Amino acid sequence: MQKYSKLPLAFLKKELKTLEKSYEQFKEIYDYFHSEALGIKNEEIDKKLELPKDNYKYIFIRLYDPVYKDNLPAELLKKGQYLTNTTKIPAAHAAIGFDLSDEFYGLTVGGDYYLKKEVCSNPESCSYFQTCDAKKSFHYTYAIKVRPEEYEAAKEKTLAYYNSQEVKYAVLHNFPVSLYCIKKKMNLPDLPKLPISAEHREFLVNLKKSLRAYKQFKEKDRFVCSTFCSYILLTCIPRIALYFCERDFSYDYITPSELSMLPGMKFLFSGNWLDFKKDAAAFAKENPDFESYL
């Protein structure tokens, strides 16, 4: 008999409640585009998909270009990722954060837990950084503008995973991701145009794929670093979920560099790991919108 995760009951109930809320949001978005095809206006969904001009916040994604010291498996994986990269960003790892204080949450193997706080300016902060040469490694930091309630939902979900320490790194999942990347590299598919003509059934199939992790509380093999970040985003930001569903693109196959291509993702700055705090302060000084995140 399959063993399911031993997550606390209260945590499971909370996750299922979030699933119901996410489903309702996505269903409303589908109905919106369907109604648009019929010439019917739905202003409530318009509000969910459009950002307010003044009241918004930022979620941050940090991509890593590491130079490994003595980590052959990671080096082989990195070379495979770079060979099949469909973007120009050399990224082998990704983490999500909610400010620019150099404390991001990343999923890696090694150490007591898989989901770790990663501090670039302190290479001793996690076992993954300890396998890298911080003086030679670089980062690319991005931000996505979201509604305050979306920011809080993403932060709450990430912290819930971090505090429970039940989330697992799916080591073997790197292989199907690599194969999928090769397929995309050789023959990138055309994106379907809106409105979606296949109607309700096709949308629900895509939705089911996007939310697979909600229904599979496995004891092992939950995410890799990039799929964890995209999962947090798509379950908390309706327009990101819509992006995946429109394109029949499962978050299970997104690579670190492809996170930079999500709609609304904005490049902020890059630099050496050890200089992150200094570079973040310099960036915020020139961009006052980000001063409060230091």
Side-chain angles (χ1 to χ4, degrees):
M1 185 175 180
Q2 186 179 17
K3 292 183 178 180
Y4 288 87
S5 172
K6 298 177 181 178
L7 288 169
L9 183 59
F11 182 76
L12 277 174
K13 287 182 178 179
K14 190 173 183 180
E15 285 286 277
L16 292 173
K17 186 176 181 181
T18 306
L19 168 61
E20 293 174 0
K21 185 177 180 180
S22 298
Y23 177 88
E24 290 170 2
Q25 286 181 330
F26 303 160
K27 177 63 168 60
E28 287 177 357
I29 292 171
Y30 168 81
D31 289 341
Y32 165 66
F33 280 101
H34 183 55
S35 67
E36 283 292 282
L38 301 175
I40 303 170
K41 190 69 175 174
N42 189 329
E43 295 181 358
E44 289 301 316
I45 303 301
D46 264 341
K47 293 178 181 178
K48 287 188 177 183
L49 294 176
E50 292 180 2
L51 281 170
K53 294 182 179 180
D54 300 318
N55 187 23
Y56 55 82
K57 301 195 76 170
Y58 289 100
I59 295 174
F60 302 92
I61 294 292
R62 189 161 66 189
L63 306 181
Y64 300 76
D65 180 16
V67 174
Y68 297 112
K69 292 185 293 187
D70 187 19
N71 191 340
L72 182 58
E75 185 65 32
L76 292 174
L77 177 61
K78 170 186 166 181
K79 290 186 181 299
Q81 288 176 319
Y82 288 8
L83 283 171
T84 58
N85 194 353
T86 56
T87 75
K88 295 182 179 180
I89 308 299
H93 178 49
I96 188 169
F98 302 93
D99 56 43
L100 290 174
S101 67
D102 194 15
E103 192 172 88
F104 281 61
Y105 297 87
L107 194 65
T108 57
V109 294
D112 295 331
Y113 302 108
Y114 291 100
L115 185 59
K116 307 171 182 67
K117 287 184 181 180
E118 299 176 348
V119 182
C120 276
S121 56
N122 178 17
E124 300 300 315
S125 61
C126 74
S127 55
Y128 174 75
F129 283 176
Q130 292 170 17
T131 67
C132 305
D133 187 337
K135 294 180 181 179
K136 298 179 181 179
S137 300
F138 284 80
H139 73 87
Y140 299 85
T141 299
Y142 290 77
I144 183 170
K145 189 183 292 185
V146 298
R147 292 176 172 273
E149 57 268 28
E150 295 168 349
Y151 173 92
E152 294 300 333
K155 184 176 182 179
E156 181 180 354
K157 180 178 286 294
T158 301
L159 290 177
Y161 275 118
Y162 177 76
N163 292 329
S164 72
Q165 292 299 349
E166 289 283 347
V167 62
K168 304 295 183 181
Y169 187 91
V171 177
L172 296 179
H173 188 61
N174 285 299
F175 294 101
V177 170
S178 299
L179 292 173
Y180 191 76
C181 288
I182 293 173
K183 178 183 176 182
K184 287 189 293 182
K185 185 81 172 181
M186 297 180 66
N187 184 23
L188 290 174
D190 295 329
L191 300 181
K193 297 180 180 180
L194 286 174
I196 301 172
S197 59
E199 312 276 79
H200 209 168
R201 184 183 61 79
E202 181 180 351
F203 174 81
L204 291 179
V205 169
N206 294 334
L207 176 60
K208 184 177 179 180
K209 278 195 279 185
S210 296
L211 297 179
R212 181 178 62 83
Y214 269 121
K215 296 185 178 181
Q216 293 186 346
F217 285 101
K218 293 183 180 179
E219 195 170 12
K220 297 180 180 179
D221 294 352
R222 295 285 298 278
F223 304 100
V224 295
C225 63
S226 52
T227 62
F228 177 77
C229 293
S230 63
Y231 176 73
I232 295 294
L233 295 176
L234 79 88
T235 53
C236 297
I237 307 173
R239 71 179 185 280
I240 298 299
L242 182 64
Y243 174 83
F244 280 94
C245 289
E246 286 172 359
R247 288 153 178 79
D248 192 18
F249 181 26
S250 173
Y251 77 94
D252 267 337
Y253 298 101
I254 196 169
T255 64
S257 64
E258 288 175 331
L259 289 167
S260 67
M261 300 172 64
L262 293 179
M265 198 65 73
K266 175 183 178 182
F267 173 71
L268 302 186
F269 60 95
S270 65
N272 179 265
W273 285 4
L274 299 177
D275 295 331
F276 183 87
K277 288 186 176 181
K278 181 183 70 175
D279 292 341
F283 173 79
K285 186 176 181 180
E286 296 179 359
N287 299 271
D289 208 18
F290 293 91
E291 285 183 341
S292 61
Y293 292 94
L294 291 176

